[in-house]
Amino acid sequence: MIVDCAIYREGRRSEGPQDFSDALDEARATGDAFVWVGLHEPTESEFDKVSEEFGLHPLAVEDALKAHQRPKLEVYDDSLFMVLKPVVYEPDSDTVSSGEVMIFVGDSFVVTVRHGEGAPLGAVRHRLEAEPEVLRHGPTSVLYSIADASVDHYLEVADELQADLEVLEAEVFSPDDGGSRHTASRIYGFKRQILEFRRATGPLALPVARLSGAGPFGPSVPFVDETAQPFFRDVHDHLTRVNESVEGLDRLVSDILSAHLAQMSVRQNDDMRKISAWAAMAAVPTMIAGVYGMNFDHMPELHWVWAYPAVIVLMVVLEVVLYRLFKRRGWM
């Protein structure tokens, strides 16, 4: 569905024709305006009209309709196509979910396609309309603002993940909860969420670097104002911080999982030592009782009056000696 369509002239929203083609012709005629069309999970028929009016490349149109794309930047003859994956983190369920934003930038137009609920397009549009000095720079300002808002939210999500991971780490090393049978599955589930986060942030580094004028792609990108490169470099710096945080989180989760498994192994060894100690203590009276349970006529002290209490005392003494020995060695 079409969420919004407007003409922006000199950084301010203005009324214009409802038809896409007429609005684009008007924006190009004045030279100081552009059209911004926003769509949310459009159907093929809805998007066909938009792509026809703005001359969007069929490969990019296919990606925008099907979604499930990696973050990327593609340059076509008549437009620039960029894919972003905004993320949302639910602390209650420790779940990272990602949406998608496709941005088409061309001569005097911006077309944004949103999939999912994590995209910040509505807030970005409202903020830009309140800052006409930024919006005055045309479609480039929209592309920068969406990328900046997405990456800034990455930083917030990384901080939330770090906070929850510290709580999980404390639980793992807690003497009460560290041995829970569900701890390993929780750690692995957390690692899966970090992987989902990495899929959104990692591939975005190259496109943002290209927009900032860095890398092997040349100093400029078509349909992007070169004066915006310092701002994209700032976005790239923030994205680098996010990727470093994600790498650190992933390593820390792996270390926590390894520590938990080692901790479980140590506890199992302790349990085996205790079981072995109790088995050894049970073996001594069993052996003595087994000897005196044999049916022989000639056995030492068999007919002695004090033989029974003497054997019981012997068992007790041996049990006490074994108990103190195992206790001293930490087996009990």
Side-chain angles (χ1 to χ4, degrees):
M1 60 177 293
I2 298 176
V3 178
D4 201 352
C5 176
I7 297 178
Y8 294 90
R9 182 175 289 104
E10 288 296 324
R12 300 189 181 278
R13 183 170 182 147
S14 63
E15 298 297 329
Q18 296 297 319
D19 183 78
F20 297 143
S21 181
D22 294 339
L24 183 60
D25 291 340
E26 180 179 325
R28 287 174 174 172
T30 58
D32 60 352
F34 69 95
V35 180
W36 182 358
V37 180
L39 301 99
H40 178 231
E41 298 181 357
T43 63
E44 186 173 352
S45 59
E46 290 174 338
F47 202 57
D48 281 345
K49 183 178 180 181
V50 176
S51 61
E52 181 180 355
E53 294 293 346
F54 291 96
L56 306 180
H57 197 278
L59 292 177
V61 171
E62 181 181 0
D63 289 345
L65 285 173
K66 291 184 177 180
H68 304 293
Q69 304 295 316
R70 284 167 55 90
K72 62 181 180 179
L73 179 67
E74 300 285 350
V75 179
Y76 299 102
D77 293 337
D78 299 324
S79 63
L80 178 75
F81 178 61
M82 187 172 185
V83 179
L84 297 167
K85 294 181 74 69
V87 297
V88 175
Y89 180 58
E90 297 294 340
D92 295 336
S93 58
D94 294 339
T95 303
V96 174
S97 58
S98 61
E100 290 186 47
V101 175
M102 285 77 168
I103 309 169
F104 296 87
V105 177
D107 182 16
S108 301
F109 73 84
V110 177
V111 177
T112 55
V113 182
R114 177 167 60 92
H115 292 270
E117 301 299 329
L121 296 187
V124 170
R125 187 187 286 264
H126 290 312
R127 188 175 71 249
L128 282 175
E129 289 179 353
E131 299 176 349
E133 66 279 1
V134 176
L135 199 56
R136 188 178 291 113
H137 293 282
T140 301
S141 64
V142 178
L143 179 63
Y144 159 73
S145 297
I146 295 175
D148 183 59
S150 299
V151 173
D152 284 347
H153 190 61
Y154 289 162
L155 289 170
E156 297 175 5
V157 171
D159 290 340
E160 292 176 352
L161 284 170
Q162 179 67 44
D164 286 352
L165 184 56
E166 290 175 357
V167 174
L168 180 59
E169 183 181 17
E171 292 180 2
V172 167
F173 292 101
S174 170
D176 299 327
D177 300 330
S180 172
R181 66 178 64 182
H182 303 295
T183 303
S185 61
R186 287 188 58 201
I187 298 173
Y188 184 75
F190 205 95
K191 191 174 182 65
R192 291 286 301 174
Q193 303 311 314
I194 293 176
L195 178 60
E196 180 69 21
F197 191 24
R198 174 183 283 177
R199 287 173 180 167
T201 64
L204 186 59
L206 191 59
V208 175
R210 188 176 180 182
L211 290 171
S212 66
F217 303 101
S220 62
V221 176
F223 308 107
V224 176
D225 193 345
E226 291 187 16
T227 59
Q229 288 182 353
F231 297 95
F232 282 110
R233 281 196 290 271
D234 181 67
V235 175
H236 186 264
D237 289 343
H238 290 177
L239 184 61
T240 300
R241 286 175 51 197
V242 171
N243 285 327
E244 289 175 350
S245 297
V246 172
E247 290 292 335
L249 288 171
D250 187 60
R251 287 194 300 269
L252 184 56
V253 170
S254 298
D255 292 343
I256 291 175
L257 180 58
S258 298
H260 171 67
L261 296 177
Q263 189 179 34
M264 293 297 294
S265 178
V266 170
R267 290 184 179 180
Q268 289 176 354
N269 290 336
D270 289 341
D271 292 340
M272 288 302 300
R273 283 200 301 266
K274 292 178 181 179
I275 293 173
S276 300
W278 285 110
M281 292 177 63
V284 172
T286 301
M287 180 189 67
I288 297 175
V291 169
Y292 278 90
M294 294 186 292
N295 297 319
F296 292 106
D297 289 334
H298 303 287
M299 293 183 66
E301 313 302 338
L302 185 62
H303 300 288
W304 184 39
V305 176
W306 298 101
Y308 175 75
V311 170
I312 297 298
V313 170
L314 177 62
M315 290 182 182
V316 172
V317 170
L318 291 176
E319 290 295 301
V320 171
V321 170
L322 288 175
Y323 179 81
R324 297 190 64 179
L325 177 63
F326 293 146
K327 188 74 172 177
R328 185 180 306 168
R329 293 186 176 182
W331 288 22
M332 301 293 291

